[in-house]
Amino acid sequence: MNCVKRSISLLVAMCMFGGCSLNVIAAQKYENAQDTYAKEMVGVYLSGTDYETLEGVSLSEAVNLYDLESGAKYGSEYIAFYDESIVGLLYVANNEGEFYSSWRNGPFEGLQRLVKDSSEFAIGFTDEDGVVAYSNNTIYNMYSGEEICKNTDFYKSIESDKVYPVYDSLCEYAVTEDAELSSDIYNLNNGVQTTSVGIEDIILDVTPVANETYNNQGLCWAAAIAAKYNYTIDLDDDNESPYVTASQVRTAAAQETGNNYTAGTPKFITAGLKHYGLLHSYMYNTMNATEIYRELYWKNPILMDLFTSTGTGHTVLLCGIKFLSSNTAKYYIADSDYTKNGLVEVYVNSSVFGNGDEFVYVSDMLPSNYGMLSSKWGGTYSYKFES
């Protein structure tokens, strides 16, 4: 049985991840610029957690990331440990001399077992099971350790290695938060913050909804609407409506438009929002940090369309923001292709705080020939509260 197949839906259902850039010119200062970038990003992603001092935190060397169908390498993963336990997975991609990253929190029981057993393994992508571990001709679920497929000897080009903590002196990369921040984010016009106090982090308790397919097209846009609607149910103690799925949202959008061919376009997204009572506004461009913060303050997660330079797209739900300094932050994103271990974290710098600026979003779910390394916000969807 061929357990690795590619579907057209992958082109639509592309996942999210992270957006800081570090020019490779840093290689003039460091022997390995990517490893240095990875250490810096571990400090960023663990800031504000129980591990923020990085004491006891270590990092593996880069683990090759493969498209398991073609055998092509298209990125690197770094495994972060606290003592011997895996606390997170850092994906790093290099695009034209700049590094980009994303972070997923642990636990990863499947990876933990392979590390403990001193097994040689690589990490790779399949469209049926997402990002998986590959060891000894067998594919494993990284989260549960479940054996997915055996005797996959057609992956002869995959190079596996033992993985263990290597970089164990990371304290110098710890990130401490500013006590007070001076930023345009204060200009909220709603009395939420003033320049005399720090900026409160906002991370909404949103549960990602799984992506599905319909007629070989991904329903990431419908999954994002479902996650948004399900969150509003949780906010209302008197609302006993059942949670909805991506397929149910697609059906609702089809009913609203009278067109059963539903795709992630403004027409169908706004129809889906309307059906579930999520009054919306649509802006074809990037929201700035002030607008994002205001929406999240009013407990309003934001749908974002992301597009590659070739026009391929993916929709995710922005659910939180945590400021690290006056011009850097972490975004928290519900992505329908990552429904385990909560929200995906994305580092952003000041370049994304203005209207129209680029927000790069990379994903370890994406084979290199469709590399989503130059994504821009195609649109943002929100809804206005009735006065």
Side-chain angles (χ1 to χ4, degrees):
M1 178 182 70
N2 185 350
C3 65
V4 183
K5 66 180 183 179
R6 189 181 316 282
S7 68
I8 297 175
S9 63
L10 176 63
L11 304 183
V12 179
M14 311 177 82
C15 330
M16 66 195 207
F17 278 80
C20 163
S21 66
L22 177 71
N23 198 289
V24 175
I25 195 172
Q28 298 175 4
K29 182 177 180 181
Y30 301 103
E31 180 178 353
N32 188 318
Q34 179 174 295
D35 288 347
T36 301
Y37 173 84
K39 295 174 187 178
E40 293 173 346
M41 288 299 99
V42 168
V44 167
Y45 288 119
L46 289 179
S47 65
T49 72
D50 293 339
Y51 312 108
E52 67 177 353
T53 65
L54 300 188
E55 292 184 9
V57 174
S58 55
L59 193 66
S60 74
E61 290 185 319
V63 181
N64 289 336
L65 181 65
Y66 291 93
D67 175 347
L68 290 180
E69 181 171 331
S70 68
K73 179 180 178 294
Y74 67 96
S76 300
E77 304 271 22
Y78 291 81
I79 300 174
F81 298 86
Y82 178 73
D83 291 336
E84 298 181 355
S85 298
I86 296 175
V87 296
L89 190 64
L90 174 70
Y91 171 57
V92 175
N94 185 333
N95 180 39
E96 298 181 352
E98 294 188 23
F99 294 123
Y100 302 94
S101 67
S102 58
W103 172 269
R104 283 182 286 161
N105 287 312
F108 292 90
E109 295 181 6
L111 285 182
Q112 189 77 59
R113 191 178 308 168
L114 291 170
V115 172
K116 182 178 180 181
D117 294 343
S118 298
S119 301
E120 293 187 353
F121 68 91
I123 298 176
F125 164 85
T126 80
D127 70 335
E128 290 187 352
D129 301 292
V131 180
V132 296
Y134 173 72
S135 177
N136 194 26
N137 294 331
T138 303
I139 294 175
Y140 296 93
N141 183 301
M142 292 201 306
Y143 297 97
S144 66
E146 175 188 2
E147 186 178 285
I148 298 173
C149 192
K150 294 185 67 172
N151 300 321
T152 53
D153 57 356
F154 46 89
Y155 301 140
K156 294 180 179 179
S157 62
I158 306 300
E159 297 180 5
S160 299
D161 294 294
K162 293 181 181 180
V163 176
Y164 48 88
V166 174
Y167 305 113
D168 56 0
S169 299
L170 301 179
C171 293
E172 65 179 291
Y173 297 100
V175 175
T176 57
E177 300 179 43
D178 290 355
E180 293 186 2
L181 309 179
S182 175
S183 171
D184 290 341
I185 193 68
Y186 293 109
N187 184 25
L188 297 175
N189 298 321
N190 58 12
V192 178
Q193 301 289 341
T194 69
T195 54
S196 62
V197 297
I199 301 173
E200 179 184 0
D201 302 330
I202 302 176
I203 305 173
L204 305 180
D205 188 16
V206 175
T207 300
V209 171
N211 195 2
E212 301 177 62
T213 59
Y214 180 78
N215 288 343
N216 291 325
Q217 287 195 327
L219 298 178
C220 55
W221 61 274
I225 292 175
K228 182 181 179 78
Y229 175 70
N230 294 345
Y231 171 71
T232 65
I233 292 176
D234 289 337
L235 290 180
D236 186 355
D237 294 335
D238 297 326
N239 192 337
E240 298 181 357
S241 301
Y243 288 166
V244 297
T245 65
S247 291
Q248 289 173 315
V249 172
R250 186 212 69 81
T251 301
Q255 293 172 349
E256 291 285 343
T257 60
N259 187 341
N260 199 45
Y261 176 77
T262 50
T265 63
K267 175 181 178 180
F268 294 113
I269 290 177
T270 54
L273 290 168
K274 176 183 177 183
H275 182 88
Y276 290 100
L278 305 176
L279 304 179
H280 64 271
S281 59
Y282 176 71
M283 294 188 298
Y284 189 80
N285 217 319
T286 306
M287 298 178 75
N288 63 33
T290 299
E291 293 166 331
I292 289 171
Y293 191 87
R294 182 186 296 116
E295 295 295 316
L296 295 177
Y297 177 81
W298 290 112
K299 302 186 184 304
N300 181 29
I302 305 162
L303 271 75
M304 296 195 306
D305 282 345
L306 301 169
F307 292 98
T308 67
S309 57
T310 60
T312 306
H314 185 45
T315 302
V316 297
L317 193 66
L318 177 58
C319 304
I321 186 168
K322 177 183 179 65
F323 285 88
L324 305 174
S325 69
S326 296
N327 62 352
T328 59
K330 287 191 292 185
Y331 288 169
Y332 293 78
I333 293 178
D335 190 308
S336 58
D337 288 318
Y338 295 90
T339 56
K340 295 187 178 3
N341 293 13
L343 305 176
V344 177
E345 298 181 26
V346 178
Y347 176 79
V348 293
N349 58 23
S350 58
S351 65
V352 303
F353 281 7
N355 286 319
D357 290 323
E358 186 175 63
F359 172 55
V360 177
Y361 187 81
V362 294
S363 167
D364 57 359
M365 285 271 289
L366 197 59
S368 58
N369 53 330
Y370 300 118
M372 193 170 184
L373 295 174
S374 184
S375 309
K376 292 188 177 181
W377 290 8
T380 52
Y381 303 81
S382 183
Y383 68 93
K384 298 177 181 178
F385 287 84
E386 295 180 353
S387 57

